[in-house]
Amino acid sequence: QVRLVESGGGTVAPGGSRTLSCVASGDTFTIVTQAWYRQVAGQERELVAQIPTMGAMIYADFTRGRFTIWQDHGKNTVYLQMDDLEPEDTAVYYCSAEGVDDRISAFKVWGPGTLVTVSS
């Protein structure tokens, strides 16, 4: 079983920065891909960035080079660095993990989310 916990949310002034963390625990060796999503109030959850075990990272167009996803395998942690934040970035940010469990079944799990509010 894989469990995810996000942290790093809070209130940020426009133009400011925040770094979110997602710590994975449990059977982390089963993880194939991790990603950050966000959900703006009243809207559908959307992909922000994705980081596979190998290969290129994927970023949503709205990041416009402002966001960076990276991983510390030793700490089982995926980060999302957010710079030049805008009010439109206000959302609950979620971490996800996909992989194959001990029953050789595909899974996708989510963390509880962390709220980022960009406001002056």
Side-chain angles (χ1 to χ4, degrees):
Q1 183 179 11
V2 174
R3 296 179 179 179
L4 306 174
V5 179
E6 304 96 337
S7 63
T11 301
V12 190
S17 300
R18 276 276 178 173
T19 298
L20 307 182
S21 301
C22 174
V23 179
S25 61
D27 298 331
T28 58
F29 58 89
T30 64
I31 297 174
V32 175
T33 301
Q34 290 196 249
W36 283 98
Y37 289 74
R38 73 182 188 185
Q39 187 165 18
V40 177
Q43 301 184 18
E44 297 182 353
R45 189 173 301 184
E46 62 182 339
L47 177 70
V48 176
Q50 184 175 24
I51 182 169
T53 54
M54 297 182 65
M57 281 72 76
I58 298 173
Y59 292 94
D61 289 341
F62 64 76
T63 64
R64 297 186 300 165
R66 300 176 298 131
F67 294 6
T68 303
I69 187 171
W70 61 284
Q71 184 172 39
D72 185 332
H73 290 281
K75 296 181 179 180
N76 294 318
T77 302
V78 174
Y79 301 89
L80 181 68
Q81 181 180 328
M82 304 184 293
D83 299 316
D84 194 22
L85 286 163
E86 305 169 352
E88 292 76 15
D89 296 316
T90 296
V92 177
Y93 285 74
Y94 298 90
C95 181
S96 72
E98 299 178 73
V100 181
D101 64 19
D102 56 356
R103 297 181 180 179
I104 317 180
S105 299
F107 68 85
K108 185 171 185 176
V109 298
W110 301 86
T114 185
L115 175 64
V116 175
T117 302
V118 184
S119 176
S120 60

